[in-house]
Each structure stands twice: as structure tokens, then as C-alpha cells.
Amino acid sequence: MTPGDFHHLSVLPREVLALLQPQPGERFVDGTLGGGGHAGLILEAIGPNGQLLGLDRDPEALQAAGRRLATFGDRVILRQGNFSEAARFVAELGWQGVDGMLLDLGVSSHQLDTGRRGFSFQTEAPLDMRMDPEADMTAETAVNTLPEDELARIFREYGEERFARRIARRIVQVRARQPLKTTLELAELVRGAVPGGHVPARIHPATRVFQALRIFVNDELDSLRHGLQQGLDLLRSGGRLAVISFHSLEDRIVKQTFRREAHPCTCPPSLPICSCGRQPRIELLTRKGVRAGEAEVADNPRARSAVLRAVRRF
């Protein structure tokens, strides 16, 4: 599959627009551009005087989005980079804040379906998993060099894998004889390391390990923490930030960050009035996460796990 074949179905498009409420002439950041689906909808809404900065770590995504969004001309500015650096990119453009920002987390359909990227164990491929192909750390480096304790921590914390220690120990035993090189090698190792791994199941036993390695290789959770803070800092008064997450670790960080910024008071409940002086910066627009409906899930099964949360800056 070539870069020109990039494909990705944008999840919750109507819901994203309803929460971001892009208006003519506004400036937006799409911090996870992907194939440009959400960005195109936002650009249509902000009209001929609006601008959008699109960021993505994946150069293939940027190329595809550039083609898809070419009709918008210089109203769309594309940069390769992590959304955790959004403030730097916005400053380079000379923008004084933004009216809205979107983060659509996780891997794209294209990244999962392109075997050579190593995100999936459906086909044999190098153990890569980098969203930015120029990054130093790969999944192969991780599984072949990290100590057993660190591998176990990664699988337990980032994959919520109950057999993390057992899998890590088996990896260390196998790599002592020969380094692990491919996705199928690792998937079969995990299958053999966990109890009942060869019993047919709805979820492959290596799913959580692959998720954990992808998160570690791309430093996804720290990037999310920094990106959320930068997004909130960049918003003008009335500006909105929307985030789509795809697993519980991401959603927990988003939910806790938003709640902390919306309810920052640290005073004991027994105090009649607030004495800490901490004032909320944002209003929660989604008390509960918004999920895809049955029709969208039928068209795009990956939308099933998507959770959308949004806030408005005071």
C-alpha cells in the first residue's frame, strides 16, 4: 500500500461539529490530522476567512490530507509534529490563541491496515509501531533491549495485561537465543505464554501487549497530558477543545484533566466558602462521554470504542 492509498474513516463527525461549533472566520487546530476528514468539515464551517493548522506525526497522513484539503488553499497549514508541541506551531504562525482544537487519538485505519508499519499482528511485518518513522525507538528495540521488569511494567500499565510478568519473562528467554523481529513472532510468543492462549477467543491474547508497546514507543500518554494542557492554554475565551479517545487509559486522562480544570477548588468540603482561590478555566460540555450510534458502528466497527469529550474555555 502506497502513501497515496491512505484511508481513515473519521469517527463521530456530526458530534464533533456540534460540540466544537466552528464559526466563520475562526482559527482551529486539528492536532491529529489523519486523512483530513474532520479538518475538511471544520474548514467548510469556518468559511473563506477561517484558518486551520493541521498536525500529524505521520508524513503519509500529511501527504494524503494535503491532497484531500487542497481545495481550501492557504487556509489550511500543515505541519509534521506532535500535538504536544501545538503551542510552538501556533506561535510560529503568529496566532494569538485559537478558537477550537480537536484531538482524535490512537492509530488510524491506514496505520492498522498497512502491514509494514507493524501496528497489527494480522500480517507479518517488522516490529516497528512508530507513528513518526524518523523516531528512534521501535517496538523491536523495546522487546529486545528493555529489562524484564520494565517490559512487565509497560504491559501492565499501558496494556492492563494481567499476565504481564509471565509475558515479559518469556520474551527475555526467547531473545537470549534470537532477537524478536516480526509482529507474528511476538504474537505467537504471547499466545504461548499466557494460560489458554491457544483457545479461540474473540480478542487475541496479544492485543493488549501490542497496545502497550505502541503507547510506549510513541510516548502517547505523556504526549496526551502535555497536549491537553497546551490545548487549554491556547484556547481563547469561548474556545472549545474536543478529544476522541479509544481506550480506557486515554479516556481516564482526558476525563480527569477536564474535571480538574472545571473544578479546581482544593478546599475541604466543610468550609462554607472557597479560600484556595482556584477558579475554573473551563466548562464541561459533555458530562458523560459521547459514543457512536449503531449505524456508525455498523459502517465503521472501530468507532465502537470511541469516546468523545469536550470543554469550553471561560
Side-chain angles (χ1 to χ4, degrees):
M1 188 173 289
T2 67
D5 297 323
F6 194 101
H7 64 284
H8 178 59
L9 293 175
S10 300
V11 302
L12 297 162
R14 292 188 301 275
E15 293 84 350
V16 165
L17 284 184
L19 287 167
L20 286 179
Q21 294 187 6
Q23 302 297 314
E26 291 187 331
R27 285 174 170 166
F28 270 74
V29 174
D30 187 337
T32 46
L33 190 62
H38 287 122
L41 296 174
I42 293 171
L43 282 160
E44 289 175 357
I46 59 180
N49 296 318
Q51 292 178 292
L52 180 139
L53 168 64
L55 306 176
D56 207 291
R57 287 192 274 186
D58 188 339
E60 292 184 11
L62 286 174
Q63 291 174 26
R67 289 188 294 272
R68 182 172 187 169
L69 304 174
T71 56
F72 295 102
D74 59 5
R75 295 203 293 116
V76 56
I77 303 103
L78 305 184
R79 297 287 186 269
Q80 183 179 353
N82 194 321
F83 59 75
S84 64
E85 303 175 286
R88 174 172 66 85
F89 290 108
V90 168
E92 288 173 354
L93 292 175
W95 292 4
Q96 302 300 313
V98 299
D99 301 291
M101 183 170 178
L102 171 65
L103 302 178
D104 180 2
L105 306 174
V107 291
S108 69
S109 303
H110 173 80
Q111 290 166 332
L112 285 170
D113 294 340
T114 305
R116 61 183 166 77
R117 304 296 294 272
F119 288 105
S120 170
F121 44 78
Q122 300 302 317
T123 58
E124 187 160 32
L127 277 170
D128 193 323
M129 302 193 192
R130 291 173 296 176
M131 292 181 180
D132 177 357
E134 299 300 318
D136 294 330
M137 178 61 70
T138 67
E140 180 181 340
T141 301
V143 298
N144 287 304
T145 64
L146 295 179
E148 179 182 320
D149 286 348
E150 178 66 358
L151 286 172
R153 182 193 69 81
I154 290 169
F155 300 152
R156 183 174 57 252
E157 293 185 11
Y158 299 159
E160 299 177 299
E161 172 56 62
R162 60 184 296 203
F163 299 111
R165 174 64 64 179
R166 189 189 298 245
I167 295 168
R169 184 177 301 120
R170 182 61 179 155
I171 287 174
V172 171
Q173 292 170 349
V174 169
R175 78 187 190 192
R177 300 192 298 270
Q178 184 174 341
L180 290 158
K181 294 288 188 181
T182 72
T183 53
L184 293 187
E185 282 183 294
L186 179 59
E188 285 304 304
L189 180 152
V190 175
R191 188 190 291 278
V194 303
H198 290 283
V199 176
R202 186 175 65 86
I203 299 177
H204 192 288
T207 300
R208 294 184 180 88
V209 168
F210 272 66
Q211 172 186 295
L213 282 172
R214 192 202 79 218
I215 290 172
F216 171 76
V217 166
N218 297 288
D219 195 22
E220 292 181 32
L221 300 187
D222 278 345
S223 292
L224 176 57
R225 293 184 182 95
H226 293 307
L228 289 172
Q229 290 302 325
Q230 291 208 11
L232 294 174
D233 290 343
L234 286 170
L235 290 180
R236 298 188 178 109
S237 177
R240 295 169 178 240
L241 169 62
V243 185
I244 304 172
S245 59
F246 289 86
H247 58 73
S248 59
L249 297 177
E250 292 173 338
D251 185 51
R252 191 176 305 135
I253 291 172
V254 176
K255 180 167 58 176
Q256 290 176 349
T257 300
F258 285 174
R259 286 181 176 175
R260 184 171 60 250
E261 295 286 350
H263 306 288
C265 179
T266 58
C267 296
S270 58
L271 284 183
I273 59 172
C274 173
S275 62
C276 71
R278 296 173 183 262
Q279 297 297 313
R281 285 207 296 169
I282 58 173
E283 171 193 8
L284 299 176
L285 300 177
T286 49
R287 297 292 172 178
K288 293 183 178 179
V290 177
R291 294 184 176 272
E294 293 182 5
E296 181 176 356
V297 172
D299 289 337
N300 180 15
R302 287 177 181 143
R304 185 184 306 277
S305 57
V307 180
L308 169 63
R309 298 183 186 276
V311 297
R312 183 178 66 85
R313 180 76 189 265
F314 285 127

